[in-house]
Amino acid sequence: MSERKEVYVLGHRNPDTDSICSAIAYADVKNKENDGNHYVAARAGQISSETSYVLQRFGMRQPTYVNNIGTRVRDMEIRKIPGINEGISMKKAWEMMKILGVVTLPVVKDNKLEGLIVTGDIAKSYMDVYDNTILSTARTQYKNIVETLEGQLLTGNEHAYFVKGKVVIGVGSLEVLSSVVDSDDLVMIGDREELQMLSIASNCSCMIVTNGYEVGPEVIEAAREREVVVISTPYDTFTAARLINQSIPIKHFMTKKNIVHFDLDDYVDDVRETVAKIRHRDFPILDS
C-alpha cells in the first residue's frame, strides 16, 4: 500500500471569502472520494474580518495557515539506498557501488547516519597507502581479510581483529625471516613449512598461506596452540599483497564530520543554493 499523503487545498495568496469557502468545500469533496490521501483546507494569507465572520456564523474552523508553498525535498524523487555497516571492507563497498550504480554509500548505525563513503575514498585506499601497519591501525577484522582474499579460515577466530603489528612477506632464509617478523605481525608466506613454523614461533597473529598450498597438520596444531589465525588463499603472494589493503574497514576512510545533508521538509530552493556551492555528486536526506 502506498504511503498516505497530506494534501493542502489553497486558494488565492490573499484569500477572500469565496477563495476560503472553495478550499474548504473542495477538500471535503476530495476526502469523500477516499483516494487514499488526506486533503486539508489551507490558506496562503491572512483572512479578512468578513471571512472570519462567515466562518464563525456557520461553525467552521479557519483553514490551516501555510506560509510557504514551495516544493520540499520530500516532493522530489529520492534515491533510497540501504545504509551499510562501518565494518565492511573497502572491496565490499566497491562491489556494492557497482551493483547499485552509485558513487556514494551512506554508513549508518542504529538507523542514524554515521558517515559517507565515496569512490574517491576507495581510490585513496588503493593509491595513497604505503604503510605496512595500516591494517592493524584500521583494526581490520580477519573475516574481512578472508573475504577479500577469497580465502579459507584454517584455524583461529575470524571475528577477531588484527590490531597490532605490520604485514610481512615471508621469503628468504630462516635468518632473514626471523629478523623481520615481530610478535603480532601478519605474515604472507608460501609452502615452506620451516618458514611457517618460524612465523608461528615468532608469535605472529596471522599467517596467510598463498597459492592455495596445503598446510600441514603440525603447522595447524602449532597455530592453534599459539592462537594464530591461519588463512589459505588461492592467490599468489604478489596478488594477495596487492589485494589485502582492500580488506580495511570503510570506517577508516569514510567521511564522518561536516557532512552536508538535507531534511525531508527543506525547501528545494534552499537545497539548490547549497548544491550550487558544494560540488558533490550526492547528498544524504534525513528523516526523523
Side-chain angles (χ1 to χ4, degrees):
M1 181 181 290
S2 59
E3 184 181 353
R4 180 181 173 88
K5 293 183 179 180
E6 189 170 85
V7 180
Y8 289 111
V9 180
L10 300 104
H12 304 303
R13 188 174 183 85
N14 298 301
D16 54 15
T17 302
D18 287 346
S19 176
I20 293 294
C21 291
S22 296
I24 293 172
Y26 190 61
D28 183 64
V29 169
K30 294 297 292 181
N31 282 324
K32 287 179 178 176
E33 289 181 353
N34 194 24
D35 63 1
N37 296 322
H38 176 57
Y39 294 86
V40 179
R43 56 190 172 90
Q46 302 303 320
I47 62 174
S48 66
S49 56
E50 173 195 288
T51 305
S52 181
Y53 170 77
V54 170
L55 293 175
Q56 291 177 7
R57 175 70 177 79
F58 290 96
M60 302 296 294
R61 294 175 57 187
Q62 289 189 10
T64 300
Y65 175 60
V66 178
N67 64 352
N68 192 320
I69 58 174
T71 305
R72 296 178 186 265
V73 169
R74 67 171 65 251
D75 302 315
M76 300 168 60
E77 184 177 344
I78 301 171
R79 184 177 67 234
K80 296 184 178 180
I81 299 177
I84 59 175
N85 183 278
E86 64 178 9
I88 71 169
S89 68
M90 301 295 284
K91 181 182 180 184
K92 193 167 186 179
W94 172 245
E95 290 171 348
M96 290 180 66
M97 287 178 180
K98 288 193 294 184
I99 291 171
L100 296 171
V102 299
V103 297
T104 307
L105 290 174
V107 183
V108 302
K109 183 178 181 180
D110 298 328
N111 253 5
K112 301 292 184 182
L113 182 68
E114 293 284 305
L116 296 176
I117 189 78
V118 300
T119 51
D121 298 325
I122 295 175
K124 180 180 179 181
S125 75
Y126 294 167
M127 304 298 293
D128 294 344
V129 175
Y130 306 104
D131 184 356
N132 62 3
T133 64
I134 185 66
L135 258 71
S136 59
T137 302
R139 296 181 60 85
T140 303
Q141 193 172 33
Y142 291 117
K143 180 182 178 182
N144 280 9
I145 297 175
V146 174
E147 290 178 349
T148 300
L149 298 182
E150 298 181 16
Q152 179 184 1
L153 184 76
L154 301 182
T155 185
N157 180 10
E158 69 173 3
H159 299 293
Y161 294 82
F162 179 43
V163 297
K164 187 179 178 182
K166 60 187 182 297
V167 176
V168 175
I169 305 298
V171 294
S173 65
L174 289 173
E175 291 76 17
V176 170
L177 186 61
S178 64
S179 67
V180 296
V181 176
D182 297 317
S183 180
D184 299 314
D185 282 350
L186 181 151
V187 182
M188 285 190 176
I189 206 160
D191 62 344
R192 292 178 60 185
E193 190 167 300
E194 69 275 17
L195 295 184
Q196 295 172 358
M197 293 295 284
L198 174 62
S199 300
I200 294 171
S202 299
N203 289 318
C204 69
S205 61
C206 177
M207 185 170 66
I208 298 174
V209 180
T210 60
N211 284 293
Y213 291 130
E214 185 175 346
V215 181
E218 290 184 8
V219 174
I220 294 292
E221 183 59 32
R224 285 198 180 114
E225 288 180 3
R226 291 181 178 262
E227 297 183 345
V228 174
V229 174
V230 178
I231 299 169
S232 172
T233 176
Y235 292 119
D236 61 78
T237 304
F238 171 79
T239 304
R242 186 174 61 84
L243 289 175
I244 196 166
N245 277 2
Q246 297 180 26
S247 65
I248 296 173
I250 59 172
K251 65 182 177 182
H252 191 73
F253 289 98
M254 72 183 189
T255 300
K256 303 176 185 177
K257 298 179 180 179
N258 302 320
I259 297 175
V260 178
H261 69 273
F262 302 110
D263 297 321
L264 287 173
D265 289 327
D266 287 344
Y267 291 103
V268 172
D269 287 344
D270 296 332
V271 170
R272 187 180 293 114
E273 265 185 54
T274 303
V275 170
K277 297 174 184 175
I278 304 173
R279 307 299 290 237
H280 290 171
R281 289 282 299 274
D282 300 293
F283 295 86
I285 298 171
L286 309 182
D287 59 15
S288 58

